[in-house]
Amino acid sequence: MPSLWQDDGMTEGRARELTIADIARLAGVGVGTASRALRGLPNVAPATRQRVLEVAERHSYVVSPDASTLKKGSTGRVAVVAPHLSRWFFGEILEGIEAVLREADYDLLLYHVGGLEERHAFFERLPARRKVDAVMVVGFPVEEPERKRLELMLGVQIVAAGGQHEVYPHVCIDDVHAGRQAVGHLLALGHRRIAMLAATDPEQPVQPSGRTAAYAEALAEADIPYDPNLVVTTDWGGEQGAAAMAQLLARRELPTAVYAHSDEVAFGAMRTIRDAGLRIPEDISVVGIDDHPHSVLLHLTTVRQPVHEQGVLAAQLLLGLLRHEDVQRSITVDTQLIVRRTTAAPRT
Amino acid sequence: MPSLWQDDGMTEGRARELTIADIARLAGVGVGTASRALRGLPNVAPATRQRVLEVAERHSYVVSPDASTLKKGSTGRVAVVAPHLSRWFFGEILEGIEAVLREADYDLLLYHVGGLEERHAFFERLPARRKVDAVMVVGFPVEEPERKRLELMLGVQIVAAGGQHEVYPHVCIDDVHAGRQAVGHLLALGHRRIAMLAATDPEQPVQPSGRTAAYAEALAEADIPYDPNLVVTTDWGGEQGAAAMAQLLARRELPTAVYAHSDEVAFGAMRTIRDAGLRIPEDISVVGIDDHPHSVLLHLTTVRQPVHEQGVLAAQLLLGLLRHEDVQRSITVDTQLIVRRTTAAPRT
């Protein structure tokens, strides 16, 4: 009979079958102490808590939701945490998430958590309350210490909708591919002076952006040198896109095309271009990413991402995890180039 | 000492002090029966339940939240029910509501309830669960039978954000005034052939629209006859506005100006006008209502409503009611004409 002390003999599959008693033995503490340490309760020495958490993590031990609510069973609730509610992408994905959760009779607790500090405060407080079975994060990453705390201490499952993450389950688009579709379209039309309006959320920690990587890759493959004068970084949003485009226009040589990280950034850029007396697409082509409902009204060429569907798939993934089903932990949905009237070949 | 049987002697203020025992006596039933009837529990004959509810309603008796949860106290949760999540207005107002509720340590249960049938199903199921202390409805009316059931049976408070209602507390704009600001601006510029794109939600019961009334009033005051050829009714939304504008353009005489019930309807109208080779504002002026974040990007003249603020005020009103404070039950926030570049005097 293999002893639980033989760490090397454990596969990840078998490790998940460990009980709280096993974790206690491995950490050299009593079962009560191990349980308190894992559930974030007081009366555990910091060093002891640390040792228990390390053992739990090494063996991928997760407190079962039922055990952590102390026989009360699951809460029947899922927290959805989003950094914006009034922007289209977030509302649209929320509709998809809500539809699936309600169908499954789960309640949706909504948290609008804007900045980094607010987010830390949110994750600090959540464990004390154990109000939910799972947390769905929309469009932002959960940092490792927070993820471990939620998953190990509380058995709260984390799923990301609309964002790509190495460590926890997620549903997203392939940002590099989407960016390549947009920039590739401009290159195919014959553009070589292609500007980029790169969007980033100032409230979020800096993330490597697939949409930026796509631009660099596509230019390199086309043997076009990367020109920092053609790149402006801005916040997501129309007004920000308008201001970023004004910066571009103020530089010495104009681009013949603009690749915006989102349609709303593109809307702003379009206003600035037209207010400067330039025509779209005759003087400057513009392409975005999203297919926002207003894009068709502005005839914007864009790369469509299915946003509602990402919400639906993320919620289904989350439900599968709560039911301990064998689910696909990483789902990428397709994007599609939609050519409208804001792009054309450059003038020769 | 006035007897409780002397109905006439009761003012509304004193009536609110009635206890469940008073209601039982007035209805001629035992206290247990009255309580079961009011809380929607079984084992009450339909005629008896009806009598108890009638007595309770006549005396404005409301089950206290504490009593109805049977000593478990309040739930600490508020349900927010909205017919749309992905449209800007709803996301924006939701941000305001969420901020106030979270600050007060209430959790927000979100329900996306689209159509009329779905809404009936939602209100049918809510009482069986008593998951919340209050319901915030965003941008749609609660029908009387549903309101009575919630308030009388469950002591669940209803508040409306972004909508005007006679019977329950609400925060809204004055739709007639907002419409008068928009149409008045066109009249002041000298327009007399003013079209209206009237928006209405096909999923909602037909409501008298203040924005439509404003149009009729303003024209009548300016001695301009009402021409049904100048009015098209459509759904809220850009694509719908575009289609409605196409209907207008197909009629025999063009308007010199268009009053759209919302900015998104106006965005659609602007596309159709320009795609038809007409100029804005030289050929046709366009005005909307909202000040959507994209309106400034499209230079749209509009009537701004403070949407986030309506959410904040509605949530504060709701909290005041839950704390049994003496609150103002009807709050109207101001709107403001923002003149941009889509309106000008008609050509002579």
Side-chain angles (χ1 to χ4, degrees):
Chain A
M1 196 177 81
S3 156
L4 278 170
W5 296 92
Q6 293 172 332
D7 282 16
D8 296 345
M10 292 194 192
T11 65
E12 213 185 285
R14 287 164 62 207
R16 287 195 176 277
E17 292 156 27
L18 289 189
T19 65
I20 182 77
D22 299 325
I23 297 297
R25 263 188 295 161
L26 290 165
V29 298
V31 172
T33 302
S35 173
R36 283 200 303 279
L38 287 168
R39 285 187 286 123
L41 298 180
N43 298 326
V44 183
T48 307
R49 186 186 303 274
Q50 187 62 29
R51 194 162 70 245
V52 172
L53 287 175
E54 276 169 16
V55 168
E57 195 192 340
R58 193 159 67 241
H59 297 285
S60 303
Y61 177 83
V62 171
V63 180
S64 94
D66 293 352
S68 74
T69 50
L70 301 171
K71 298 196 193 97
K72 279 186 295 179
S74 78
T75 64
R77 290 187 292 268
V78 170
V80 177
V81 190
H84 304 281
L85 301 178
S86 62
R87 286 189 187 163
W88 166 75
F89 175 88
F90 297 92
E92 184 77 12
I93 206 164
L94 196 53
E95 280 197 7
I97 295 167
E98 198 270 353
V100 172
L101 292 182
R102 190 145 57 95
E103 180 69 29
D105 213 26
Y106 271 85
D107 279 317
L108 189 167
L109 285 184
L110 182 67
Y111 298 94
H112 174 220
V113 177
L116 206 54
E117 262 185 56
E118 239 189 304
R119 193 190 312 159
H120 284 308
F122 171 78
F123 284 114
E124 280 289 322
R125 291 188 60 194
L126 195 65
R129 305 189 287 183
R130 183 55 166 94
K131 288 181 172 178
V132 296
D133 299 334
V135 173
M136 174 84 79
V137 291
V138 183
F140 72 85
V142 177
E143 287 165 53
E144 264 309 276
E146 291 171 344
R147 182 188 70 79
K148 283 185 187 160
R149 218 154 134 260
L150 281 183
E151 292 196 349
L152 295 177
M153 287 194 187
L154 292 162
V156 166
Q157 188 71 55
I158 300 179
V159 172
Q164 198 167 345
H165 304 281
E166 301 282 310
V167 278
Y168 50 92
H170 57 266
V171 177
C172 60
I173 62 169
D174 180 338
D175 277 314
V176 177
H177 181 65
R180 293 292 301 252
Q181 288 175 299
V183 180
H185 169 63
L186 298 174
L187 289 167
L189 287 169
H191 291 277
R192 292 186 60 86
R193 276 194 64 76
I194 300 171
M196 173 168 70
L197 300 180
T200 182
D201 194 329
E203 293 271 26
Q204 311 298 333
V206 175
Q207 296 284 312
S209 159
R211 299 187 194 183
T212 295
Y215 174 78
E217 274 182 30
L219 294 192
E221 282 181 24
D223 281 326
I224 299 172
Y226 181 94
D227 178 356
N229 277 311
L230 287 173
V231 176
V232 177
T233 299
T234 182
D235 191 359
W236 305 90
E239 295 264 29
Q240 292 85 351
M245 190 69 218
Q247 282 186 52
L248 269 182
L249 292 186
R251 293 176 186 171
R252 84 204 129 77
E253 203 188 341
L254 291 184
T256 63
V258 174
Y259 155 53
H261 273 198
S262 83
D263 284 1
E264 289 184 85
V265 170
F267 298 159
M270 287 167 71
R271 182 189 69 173
T272 300
I273 292 167
R274 289 187 172 131
D275 284 359
L278 299 167
R279 290 162 305 160
I280 300 169
E282 293 84 348
D283 299 310
I284 300 184
S285 286
V286 178
V287 64
I289 291 179
D290 270 346
D291 202 25
H292 186 289
H294 293 169
S295 297
V296 66
L297 301 178
L298 297 176
H299 300 302
L300 177 66
T301 294
T302 188
V303 175
R304 175 183 295 164
Q305 64 166 321
V307 180
H308 189 272
E309 185 188 344
Q310 288 177 72
V312 166
L313 291 172
Q316 287 171 343
L317 168 52
L318 184 149
L319 291 176
L321 290 166
L322 289 178
R323 292 177 190 133
H324 305 286
E325 292 166 6
D326 191 19
V327 294
Q328 186 185 339
R329 290 170 57 92
S330 168
I331 298 172
T332 305
V333 296
D334 282 343
T335 52
Q336 184 192 0
L337 177 70
I338 311 283
V339 179
R340 297 199 181 101
R341 300 187 209 161
T342 59
T343 49
R347 282 182 300 170
T348 45
Chain B
M1 196 176 83
S3 156
L4 278 169
W5 297 92
Q6 294 173 331
D7 282 17
D8 296 344
M10 293 195 191
T11 65
E12 214 186 286
R14 287 165 59 206
R16 288 193 176 277
E17 291 157 26
L18 289 188
T19 66
I20 183 77
D22 299 325
I23 297 297
R25 263 187 294 159
L26 289 166
V29 299
V31 172
T33 302
S35 172
R36 284 199 304 279
L38 287 168
R39 285 187 287 122
L41 298 180
N43 298 326
V44 183
T48 306
R49 186 186 302 274
Q50 186 63 29
R51 195 162 70 245
V52 172
L53 287 176
E54 275 168 17
V55 168
E57 196 193 339
R58 194 158 67 240
H59 297 284
S60 304
Y61 177 84
V62 171
V63 180
S64 93
D66 292 352
S68 74
T69 50
L70 300 172
K71 300 197 192 94
K72 280 186 295 179
S74 78
T75 65
R77 291 188 291 268
V78 170
V80 176
V81 190
H84 304 281
L85 301 178
S86 62
R87 286 189 188 164
W88 166 76
F89 175 87
F90 297 92
E92 183 78 12
I93 207 164
L94 197 52
E95 280 197 5
I97 295 167
E98 199 271 352
V100 172
L101 292 182
R102 191 144 57 95
E103 179 69 28
D105 214 26
Y106 271 86
D107 279 318
L108 189 167
L109 285 183
L110 181 67
Y111 298 94
H112 174 219
V113 177
L116 207 53
E117 262 185 56
E118 238 189 306
R119 194 190 313 160
H120 284 308
F122 171 79
F123 284 115
E124 280 289 322
R125 291 188 60 194
L126 195 65
R129 305 189 285 184
R130 183 56 165 94
K131 288 181 173 181
V132 296
D133 300 333
V135 174
M136 175 84 79
V137 291
V138 183
F140 72 84
V142 178
E143 287 165 53
E144 264 309 275
E146 291 171 344
R147 183 189 69 80
K148 283 185 188 160
R149 221 158 129 256
L150 281 183
E151 292 196 348
L152 296 177
M153 287 194 187
L154 292 163
V156 166
Q157 188 72 54
I158 300 179
V159 172
Q164 197 168 344
H165 303 281
E166 302 282 310
V167 277
Y168 50 92
H170 58 266
V171 176
C172 60
I173 62 169
D174 180 338
D175 276 315
V176 177
H177 181 65
R180 293 292 301 254
Q181 288 175 298
V183 180
H185 168 63
L186 299 174
L187 288 167
L189 287 169
H191 291 278
R192 292 186 60 87
R193 276 195 65 76
I194 300 171
M196 173 169 70
L197 300 179
T200 182
D201 194 328
E203 293 272 25
Q204 310 298 332
V206 175
Q207 297 284 313
S209 159
R211 299 187 194 183
T212 295
Y215 174 78
E217 273 181 30
L219 294 192
E221 281 181 24
D223 282 327
I224 299 172
Y226 181 94
D227 179 356
N229 276 312
L230 288 174
V231 176
V232 178
T233 298
T234 183
D235 191 359
W236 305 91
E239 295 264 29
Q240 292 85 351
M245 190 68 218
Q247 282 187 52
L248 269 182
L249 292 185
R251 293 176 185 172
R252 82 204 130 77
E253 203 187 340
L254 291 184
T256 63
V258 175
Y259 155 54
H261 273 198
S262 83
D263 284 1
E264 290 185 84
V265 170
F267 298 158
M270 287 166 70
R271 181 189 69 173
T272 300
I273 292 167
R274 288 186 172 133
D275 283 0
L278 298 167
R279 291 161 304 160
I280 299 170
E282 293 84 349
D283 299 311
I284 300 184
S285 286
V286 178
V287 65
I289 291 179
D290 271 345
D291 202 24
H292 186 290
H294 294 168
S295 297
V296 66
L297 301 178
L298 297 175
H299 300 301
L300 177 66
T301 294
T302 188
V303 175
R304 175 184 296 164
Q305 65 166 322
V307 179
H308 188 273
E309 185 188 344
Q310 289 177 72
V312 166
L313 290 171
Q316 287 171 343
L317 168 52
L318 184 149
L319 292 176
L321 290 165
L322 289 178
R323 293 177 190 133
H324 305 285
E325 291 167 5
D326 191 20
V327 295
Q328 186 185 340
R329 290 170 58 91
S330 168
I331 298 172
T332 305
V333 296
D334 281 344
T335 53
Q336 184 192 359
L337 177 70
I338 311 283
V339 178
R340 297 199 181 101
R341 298 187 211 162
T342 59
T343 49
R347 282 182 300 171
T348 46

